[in-house]
Amino acid sequence: MKKVLFLVCPMVLLSGCAQKIDPNLSAFNGVTYTDYSNEYKYLNTYTINGNTNKSMDDINVCTLQNIRDRDVVLSDSADSFVGKTGNYYNLNSSMKSNKNGRQYIGDNVIVIDGLTHYQNPQSFIPITNYVRYTLSIRKNDNNISYLFNNITQAQAETGSIPNNGFNPVGNWEGANPSVILKALTAEAQKVTNCLAN
């Protein structure tokens, strides 16, 4: 009996660590992935298509008014400890993640770096995650496409775990890929709303 418990307990613990693929990803069209491991993948690109009769100049103005990249501060308290006297020493560390701020404007395309954020829905306490991306907006006749790539995310504060900054977004539930795609959709919608005015 002891041998059975000895084998079953680690299997239960390990199975609790397995991540499921985010089932909400099926609601999004225009997503491509790069391989990571087995069924796990990273978000590669996300494309949203639409229509507009606005000029490329109008698209450029609306994009520059609504898509922004900015510096963010990422922090942790991984070096904190309890001393031999029982006192807690809180040693916070932080790093500034600088904006890229790249922009390119061509005859029928604008490419710009952007940043958005979301509150982690899997947490009992509010945790802010930042999402960095590159957005390419192309116009062809009355068709417009929003192509997001270089999609990465970082948690603003990681507590006692070292904060390793921005990383690719996985397709498993713990990485919140569907939440990130909603946030990117909202970024494109800001430009769309501006063009409608």
Side-chain angles (χ1 to χ4, degrees), residues 14-103:
L14 289 174
S15 67
C17 295
Q19 288 277 351
K20 290 191 282 183
I21 305 301
D22 186 341
N24 298 317
L25 287 174
S26 61
F28 294 91
N29 296 318
V31 182
T32 65
Y33 301 91
T34 57
D35 288 336
Y36 172 61
S37 174
N38 298 322
E39 74 271 21
Y40 300 118
K41 300 184 182 308
Y42 287 133
L43 293 183
N44 185 31
T45 63
Y46 175 42
T47 304
I48 301 169
N49 294 308
N51 298 302
T52 185
N53 59 4
K54 298 290 184 166
S55 70
M56 200 61 211
D57 286 339
D58 292 333
I59 294 169
N60 293 338
V61 169
C62 284
T63 302
L64 294 172
Q65 286 178 340
N66 289 282
I67 303 298
R68 291 180 180 77
D69 193 6
R70 55 192 174 279
D71 297 339
V72 294
V73 174
L74 307 175
S75 60
D76 65 49
S77 54
D79 293 330
S80 299
F81 64 96
V82 176
K84 66 180 183 179
T85 60
N87 292 335
Y88 178 70
Y89 298 92
N90 188 7
L91 303 176
N92 288 322
S93 65
S94 63
M95 65 178 166
K96 185 176 182 181
S97 177
N98 295 321
K99 65 183 177 183
N100 293 324
R102 298 176 303 173
Q103 298 174 0

